[in-house]
Amino acid sequence: GAHHPTEFVRADLAARGVVTAAGLRDRPHGARVAVGGVVTHRQAPETAGGTVFLSLEDETGLVNVICAPGVWRRWGRVARRHGALVVHGTLERDRGAHNVVARRIEPLALLADGGPAPGPPPDAARDFR
């Protein structure tokens, strides 16, 4: 069958701690997670007060990502410019649905973009609070 582009970089993503859409089901509410995939939708509803909603698709399904206005101001250019993203954030469970509330967004280089994904830049590798 056809392969999803994220399948080709899954080993690299897994090494970076990126979970699949399906893998989110095993994570608790409030867990810090990283997800990656191809952007299928970007929505900024007028009613959402600047919040932007992204859908990322990987080989296991879809992930809903919520970007608060401040997060979008900081990372929106990256999110708009790249067709595939890695999103670091917090898992929110709500009545069976789950969303990732974004904290940081990185481009995800897929093979179609010319080679496997690089690791995170050195300054992003340590996320101290």
Side-chain angles (χ1 to χ4, degrees):
H3 286 277
H4 194 277
T6 55
E7 286 182 64
F8 299 106
V9 293
R10 177 54 57 196
D12 177 73
L13 289 173
R16 292 164 61 187
V18 175
V19 295
T20 61
L24 289 176
R25 290 198 278 271
D26 306 324
R27 301 298 172 105
H29 177 80
R32 288 173 74 139
V33 294
V35 291
V38 175
V39 181
T40 60
H41 294 90
R42 288 185 192 85
Q43 293 175 293
E46 292 295 311
T47 52
T51 298
V52 177
F53 300 92
L54 303 176
S55 296
L56 297 185
E57 186 184 53
D58 69 14
E59 70 275 21
T60 70
L62 285 171
V63 180
N64 297 314
V65 176
I66 301 172
C67 302
V71 168
W72 191 253
R73 274 196 298 277
R74 183 157 181 203
W75 303 106
R77 211 173 76 233
V78 168
R80 277 193 302 267
R81 215 169 51 222
H82 297 274
L85 303 170
V86 171
V87 175
H88 300 260
T90 305
L91 181 62
E92 253 190 15
R93 291 183 169 287
D94 182 29
R95 295 186 295 278
H98 45 255
N99 302 305
V100 174
V101 180
R103 196 176 71 247
R104 177 159 59 88
I105 299 173
E106 303 170 2
L108 170 56
L110 295 172
L111 291 179
D113 302 339
D123 62 324
R126 298 273 177 274
D127 191 8
F128 291 115
R129 276 269 172 278

